Amino acid sequence: MQKKPEWMMDLQRLWPPTVAKALSALPLETMAEIDEVRMRCGRPLMISCGTGDVFVKSNGQTSKTPDGSLVIAPEEIKHLFQAACQHSVYAYEEEIRQGFLTLKGGYRLGLAGRITVRDGKVAALSHCGGACIRIMRELKGCADEAMRVVRPQNNVYSTLIISPPMMGKTTLLRDLTRQISNGIFGAEGKRVCLVDERAELAGCVAGIPQLDVGLRTDVLDGCPKAAGMMMALRSLSPQVLVTDELGGEEDAKAVMEAAFAGVKVLATVHGQDENDLMQRHGMRLLIQERVFERYLVLGQAPGRIVKRLDQRLCPMVGVR
């Protein structure tokens, strides 16, 4: 008999009774495909999966239209928020200011609502009006194909993964980190430092990774990327630095510092393809300086590599 997916059991304590009943009534094949559960006050319960967003009725039926769907009440949002904070909002203030909570098991709760700003900075989330629960999944082995590009024999190439949203770049990067850290296909493991600013790669709770990122991996959880890369270079002696979703020039400068120090860098960036990067000054600088030795472009379907490029952005011949 097919069992409910692990995430249903892990997150059971969070759900208000009406939501728990609706989610539990979903077909098992639908449960297995869910990427996100979205609850918005006064609006229908929604799930996101590979086929897109659908609304959920109280009996577990789904529809592309909201008619008859389960509408989320204010007290149900409050139930979810309090349960996620283990009824101690004060203990989670810093995470809440960043707009999310990382839950045991590596799941991520994104928060929406009334933001309080003081001196131009986010001070608090005073009223929670919506939540997005992202289902983290480990797909061990999903990076096997990418490893042939990133790590031939015992070397590691600095690699940038370019991807539109929801194409599996974080899942791919996590498995690359694990494989490089552990050592695989006869190659020895490398010392890795993972700068996990938004707790999406390692899913740390109290500094302890909830997801498998490898035996030789140190994690700087919740640390801004640029600062974290510099901290790692000064104190953790990594052979490989890993971080997700490079942003502006500050991130680009930190990547260059790591490269000049002889440390390999694995990172991701949002974009349709390599041409998108040339429109951004920081990314353009990294390309011109040939900091990254390899580029992988994802598209068409989650995890699918559609381009493999060398440091000159030329297609790699004979690599599949």
Side-chain angles (χ1 to χ4, degrees):
M1 183 176 178
Q2 192 176 0
K3 294 182 179 180
K4 291 182 179 180
E6 189 175 350
W7 71 264
M8 283 290 293
M9 303 302 295
D10 291 344
L11 299 176
Q12 190 171 6
R13 68 180 182 84
L14 294 183
W15 311 122
T18 54
V19 174
K21 181 180 177 182
L23 294 177
S24 295
L26 289 167
L28 291 177
E29 57 269 23
T30 301
M31 290 183 192
E33 294 179 356
I34 292 176
D35 297 315
E36 295 176 346
V37 177
R38 290 184 176 268
M39 295 171 57
R40 299 179 176 97
C41 186
R43 284 171 284 176
L45 176 65
M46 180 186 289
I47 58 174
S48 299
C49 48
T51 55
D53 299 334
V54 293
F55 300 102
V56 183
K57 300 180 181 181
S58 57
N59 62 1
Q61 291 183 349
T62 59
S63 173
K64 285 287 187 179
T65 61
D67 300 338
S69 299
L70 175 63
V71 176
I72 302 300
E75 58 267 23
E76 291 173 317
I77 292 288
K78 183 177 180 180
H79 179 289
L80 175 77
F81 183 63
Q82 291 288 342
C85 295
Q86 301 182 66
H87 302 280
S88 179
V89 176
Y90 177 78
Y92 291 85
E93 274 189 341
E94 185 56 41
E95 280 191 87
I96 292 169
R97 272 198 290 269
Q98 298 179 57
F100 66 88
L101 294 171
T102 304
L103 309 173
K104 187 176 181 180
Y107 307 100
R108 180 183 171 115
L109 173 63
L111 302 168
R114 174 66 178 174
I115 305 297
T116 300
V117 178
R118 297 192 187 100
D119 299 324
K121 296 181 180 180
V122 174
L125 178 78
S126 54
H127 293 87
C128 185
C132 171
I133 300 90
R134 180 171 292 184
I135 311 302
M136 298 287 195
R137 288 191 178 88
E138 291 182 290
L139 295 178
K140 293 184 178 180
C142 71
D144 287 357
E145 178 187 354
M147 283 287 284
R148 298 188 183 96
V149 178
V150 175
R151 188 166 193 194
Q153 299 176 351
N154 205 34
N155 193 14
V156 177
Y157 286 124
S158 288
T159 302
L160 183 63
I161 300 169
I162 307 167
S163 171
M166 303 300 288
M167 281 292 146
K169 64 181 177 2
T170 301
T171 303
L172 177 63
L173 185 61
R174 183 187 300 118
D175 197 50
L176 279 170
T177 302
R178 179 188 66 86
Q179 293 199 34
I180 290 170
S181 175
N182 287 349
I184 198 167
F185 304 140
E188 64 181 25
K190 299 288 187 182
R191 295 188 307 277
V192 178
C193 184
L194 172 57
V195 183
D196 199 7
E197 182 171 4
R198 296 189 297 177
E200 288 191 306
L201 285 162
C204 287
V205 174
I208 301 172
Q210 303 294 295
L211 303 171
D212 187 358
V213 290
L215 300 172
R216 298 174 179 83
T217 300
D218 298 303
V219 181
L220 294 177
D221 178 52
C223 185
K225 286 181 281 291
M229 284 188 272
M230 294 301 97
M231 289 170 63
L233 290 173
R234 286 194 295 265
S235 60
L236 293 171
S237 64
Q239 295 169 297
V240 181
L241 267 171
V242 178
T243 195
D244 203 13
E245 297 185 10
L246 293 178
E249 293 185 36
E250 192 175 355
D251 290 351
K253 289 177 182 177
V255 170
M256 291 187 69
E257 286 288 338
F260 294 155
V263 176
K264 302 298 183 177
V265 179
L266 269 64
T268 68
V269 65
H270 279 301
Q272 292 297 321
D273 55 27
E274 68 278 13
N275 296 318
D276 272 0
L277 305 192
M278 296 302 291
Q279 310 306 313
R280 309 174 207 171
H281 178 71
M283 294 297 104
R284 185 168 66 249
L285 182 62
L286 292 175
I287 291 170
Q288 291 171 344
E289 294 294 326
R290 298 186 180 179
V291 171
F292 287 108
E293 301 161 285
R294 297 289 183 265
Y295 296 85
L296 299 175
V297 182
L298 305 186
Q300 299 179 3
R304 180 176 295 176
I305 301 172
V306 295
K307 290 184 182 180
R308 301 159 185 82
L309 309 173
D310 64 17
Q311 62 189 144
R312 299 169 297 169
L313 296 182
C314 295
M316 295 180 63
V317 180
V319 178
R320 312 184 78 182

